[in-house]
Amino acid sequence: MTEYFHEGNRQLQDEQGTRPLADRLQASIIQPVISPEDSSYIEAQNMFFLATVDDKGQSNCSYKGGSVGLVKVLDEKTLAFPIYDGNGMFMSAGNVLVNDSVGMLFVDFNRQTRLRVNGNASIMKDDPLLANWQEAAFVIRVKVRETFPNCPRYIHKMALVEESNFVPKKACKTPDPDWKKLAVVSDVLPEKDKHLSGSGEDVMGSINRD
């Protein structure tokens, strides 16, 4: 069996007496492909958490939200998702350009289940998949390295109250975020946002809320 765990994993497994358990789980539940069941699970979610790594090996974790169908499974080894308008820093997507290793965590808080997907990401200009997501800036595709379910014991049961008003929808104008109207950013907005004007509201408070 190809060694899956590294020295750090093994050290803690041996200290806690879980090496045989870890090996059994690795052999039985960690898969190199997306199963039909996992495909249905992924495409039923409207959010996920994305972990990326920059050119210095420093990690970054980001929440990605949208409507159901936010992530599309293209085949058993490939999935794709959009990057929507954000704060213009492109932390996650920028990391993908210099380090393609990514981790995705899907959590269904209502059913109290979760799934991990790890793989290698890429960004292609003018991806034909752009048409699948209204107002997407570009698309990230992920070649799957491994998928595996996680123990659900500590997932809190929560219900969706309402979807964010900022999720782009067809035949519906997406509202502008308040922070883009602040005077502090009025002179550095990209061309598509030049029509917005400063409002003088508390800077960090508004940016953090958006």
Side-chain angles (χ1 to χ4, degrees), residues 161-181:
V161 176
E162 63 180 16
E163 192 175 85
S164 169
N165 291 330
F166 293 94
V167 174
K169 299 177 179 65
K170 292 182 179 179
C172 179
K173 185 182 184 304
T174 304
D176 296 313
D178 287 340
W179 69 266
K180 285 189 176 182
K181 303 172 185 177

Side-chain angles (χ1 to χ4, degrees), residues 133-160:
W133 295 283
Q134 187 81 4
E135 298 181 25
F138 44 84
V139 172
I140 291 182
R141 297 193 185 212
V142 177
K143 282 296 182 183
V144 173
R145 186 174 67 249
E146 60 207 10
T147 68
F148 55 101
N150 261 155
C151 173
R153 282 182 293 172
Y154 307 112
I155 299 176
H156 307 300
K157 187 174 181 64
M158 294 184 282
L160 177 66

Side-chain angles (χ1 to χ4, degrees), residues 4 13 15-16 22 25 43 90 95 108 117 120 158 175 189 200:
Y4 177 78
Q13 291 167 11
E15 288 178 3
Q16 298 297 316
L25 292 174
E43 293 196 336
F90 296 109
N95 283 351
D108 186 324
V117 177
N120 301 92
M158 294 184 282
L189 289 172

Side-chain angles (χ1 to χ4, degrees), residues 114-135:
R114 58 181 171 173
L115 176 73
R116 290 191 194 188
V117 177
N118 296 325
N120 301 92
S122 62
I123 300 174
M124 180 174 67
K125 289 186 177 179
D126 301 319
D127 193 309
L129 291 175
L130 270 171
N132 288 288
W133 295 283
Q134 187 81 4
E135 298 181 25

Side-chain angles (χ1 to χ4, degrees), residues 64-84:
K64 301 299 180 185
S67 295
V68 170
L70 175 66
V71 179
K72 295 190 180 298
V73 177
L74 307 181
D75 56 53
E76 67 176 9
K77 292 286 292 183
T78 315
L79 52 76
F81 59 89
I83 293 295
Y84 290 126

Side-chain angles (χ1 to χ4, degrees), residues 34-44 73 115:
I34 304 171
S35 70
E37 295 77 18
D38 288 344
S39 176
S40 297
Y41 181 87
I42 289 170
E43 293 196 336
V73 177
L115 176 73

Side-chain angles (χ1 to χ4, degrees), residues 177-180 182 184 199-210:
D178 287 340
W179 69 266
K180 285 189 176 182
L182 297 174
V184 70
S199 68
E201 188 184 341
D202 171 65
V203 176
M204 292 309 296
S206 181
I207 291 177
N208 289 337
R209 284 196 296 277
D210 286 337

